[in-house]
Amino acid sequence: MHPSYVRQHHATEIFHALRQTPQMSKREISEAVGCDKTTVSAILKRFEELGLVRREMAESRGRGRPSEVFALSQKNGLLIGTHLEFDQAVIVAAGIDGQRLARVDMPLPRRPEDFATDLRNAIFSLCASLDRDISEIRCVGITLPGLVQTDGALAHSSSLDWYDVDAKGLLREMIGAPIHIDNDTNAAMLAEHLFGECAHLEDFVYLDSVVGLGGGIFMDGHPYRGRKGFAGEIGHLKVVPDGRTCGCGASGCLSAYLSQRALIQKIRKFEPVDSIGDVLSLAASGNRNVLRILNNSGRYLGLALSDITNVLNPAAVVLAGHLARLWPYLEAQTRQVFEENAMSASFADTEILISDLSLAEIPAGGVALALEGFSSLDGQDAPPW
Ligand SMILES: [Zn+2]
């Protein structure tokens, strides 16, 4: 491996170590990333030149006397995350450590060209509200509900009614900072790895439900994208031969039994419900029809988890969005069917984790994309160190 690549690799590791554990001494950093103190000193000096870290005196862990420690700067550098939803965009500002600072919402215009202008204006006002300058923006991450190609061009979003839009080209010109775009579920999965339940896991599967049912595969420390970036569509695993018709046009997909839309449609035959909130209230009151339908959906989720586990042997499956909310009513059937159908060796390895991060008020996916884009050695833009 080329020495400069090794140094870059250490720098990236030190950046993330300081992100996860602020206020570390040189010795602690050296132990955490496994490189010598001379290398750590040289990299910290470079970080200081770039305004990425600050020195301070603090009581270092395990020692009485104050000593010199390092932390990521809170003043120099911003990451922007943008979440495009059905009819609105949520724009989030975060420090370079990924800590989310504020959000602003804006209506989503129909034309992508108008979106670029509106987004630029919203980012300006968000920075102004934090008394920060837009020149501090290091990277912008944008999540889209749809299929996004690996080069960041939008392939298809039926919920936005956008087709073949070169979103990256359009926005980069307007915003003037590196831009990273991905599918909303892949972004949420990355957030789980950077900030959430899966911070120390290299292999996990993510299943998220907002309106539809999205999925993602995280493999060997990275999102697995497949040939063109369309991998991980776990919502379209077939769980019932010739079953209900799915939004994708096929029949018997997991999404046709577990997506928000599918659940509401099924429950409406018995009860007047408009949202998952209504479903939760009825389930909490012990409504038999609702509990039966959720029990049945839990069965299909268990089948899907067993297929995923048999194929991929992940360390965990993360359930996010409304799946996390509904979990108390899905859990019994899901666990039973999962255990009955998964191969016992893989089943024993796979933990089911419920995502709190996906329910947070300020969404984390866009910031995760920005942080990854800013700090990854594998991205299109080299990190600043
Ligand atoms: Zn489908």
Side-chain angles (χ1 to χ4, degrees):
M1 213 182 284
H2 194 274
S4 68
Y5 185 85
V6 175
R7 190 181 182 284
Q8 292 259 308
H9 180 72
H10 285 321
T12 303
E13 287 199 319
I14 290 173
F15 174 80
H16 284 290
L18 286 173
R19 183 177 70 72
Q20 285 164 330
T21 315
Q23 296 198 325
M24 293 171 94
S25 68
K26 278 184 190 168
R27 190 175 62 86
E28 286 168 332
I29 296 170
S30 162
E31 284 167 7
V33 303
C35 64
D36 60 79
K37 272 174 81 175
T38 314
T39 309
V40 172
S41 295
I43 289 169
L44 287 172
K45 186 161 176 280
R46 176 71 183 136
F47 281 2
E48 282 186 304
E49 285 163 12
L50 292 165
L52 295 175
V53 298
R54 61 173 199 273
R55 287 168 196 252
E56 41 194 67
M57 296 302 284
E59 281 187 17
S60 190
R61 273 164 292 284
R63 292 193 229 153
R65 278 184 301 123
S67 60
E68 190 179 57
V69 292
F70 293 82
L72 292 184
S73 168
Q74 301 296 315
K75 288 185 183 151
N76 189 7
L78 284 173
L79 301 172
I80 301 289
T82 299
H83 300 253
L84 272 61
E85 290 161 11
F86 169 63
D87 56 1
Q88 69 159 4
V90 178
I91 299 123
V92 178
I96 50 167
D97 55 0
Q99 288 287 335
R100 288 158 285 157
L101 303 171
R103 71 178 265 177
V104 64
D105 299 7
M106 70 174 208
L108 190 61
R110 295 269 50 103
R111 289 180 353 121
E113 298 80 2
D114 298 336
F115 167 65
T117 315
D118 291 3
L119 177 60
R120 187 188 57 178
N121 295 340
I123 291 175
F124 270 63
S125 67
L126 184 59
C127 289
S129 74
L130 292 167
D131 203 17
R132 306 287 287 263
D133 194 88
I134 53 145
S135 63
E136 283 191 57
I137 298 172
R138 308 268 183 164
C139 195
V140 179
I142 298 179
T143 78
L144 296 169
L147 300 173
V148 179
Q149 290 183 351
T150 41
D151 59 4
L154 176 69
H156 176 99
S157 175
S158 53
S159 61
L160 298 184
D161 200 18
W162 287 8
Y163 299 94
D164 297 323
V165 175
D166 176 15
K168 196 164 185 167
L170 204 65
L171 292 164
R172 184 148 198 164
E173 222 168 84
M174 284 274 189
I175 293 166
I179 296 196
H180 290 259
I181 301 179
D182 207 340
N183 161 281
D184 47 5
T185 307
N186 275 345
M189 176 173 70
L190 186 63
E192 213 63 60
H193 178 64
L194 290 170
F195 314 122
E197 297 286 336
C198 300
H200 301 289
L201 299 182
E202 299 284 293
D203 298 276
F204 64 92
V205 169
Y206 187 81
L207 198 51
D208 188 5
S209 181
V210 184
V211 178
L213 198 64
I217 300 166
F218 203 82
M219 197 184 273
D220 295 333
H222 300 279
Y224 175 74
R225 296 170 196 282
R227 184 161 175 259
K228 284 193 171 172
F230 304 153
E233 290 290 334
I234 292 161
H236 303 285
L237 278 179
K238 306 296 176 270
V239 290
V240 182
D242 304 317
R244 282 173 60 105
T245 304
C246 174
C248 73
S251 63
C253 299
L254 180 62
S255 184
Y257 296 89
L258 200 57
S259 72
Q260 181 168 324
R261 190 181 297 132
L263 280 173
I264 288 173
Q265 263 177 11
K266 287 184 80 175
I267 293 171
R268 263 192 197 151
K269 287 181 187 162
F270 307 96
E271 307 291 345
V273 289
D274 287 321
S275 67
I276 287 297
D278 295 343
V279 174
L280 278 167
S281 303
L282 287 172
S285 71
N287 183 292
R288 284 184 167 206
N289 288 321
V290 171
L291 291 176
R292 179 176 48 78
I293 289 168
L294 290 176
N295 209 40
N296 211 31
S297 297
R299 217 178 109 65
Y300 298 132
L301 178 59
L303 274 179
L305 297 191
S306 67
D307 282 343
I308 292 166
T309 299
N310 288 344
V311 174
L312 295 171
N313 185 211
V317 177
V318 183
L319 302 179
H322 89 245
L323 295 181
R325 289 195 182 92
L326 291 170
W327 181 239
Y329 307 103
L330 302 169
E331 180 172 3
Q333 270 298 303
T334 301
R335 285 198 190 276
Q336 186 186 330
V337 175
F338 181 26
E339 182 164 10
E340 281 167 3
N341 290 278
M343 292 167 72
S344 55
S346 306
F347 173 78
D349 278 348
T350 308
E351 201 178 350
I352 298 175
L353 299 173
I354 306 303
S355 166
D356 289 334
L357 188 66
S358 66
L359 306 177
E361 195 201 335
I362 305 186
V367 171
L369 285 182
L371 178 59
E372 177 79 353
F374 169 66
S375 62
S376 171
L377 292 181
D378 306 323
Q380 297 115 2
D381 304 289
W385 38 84

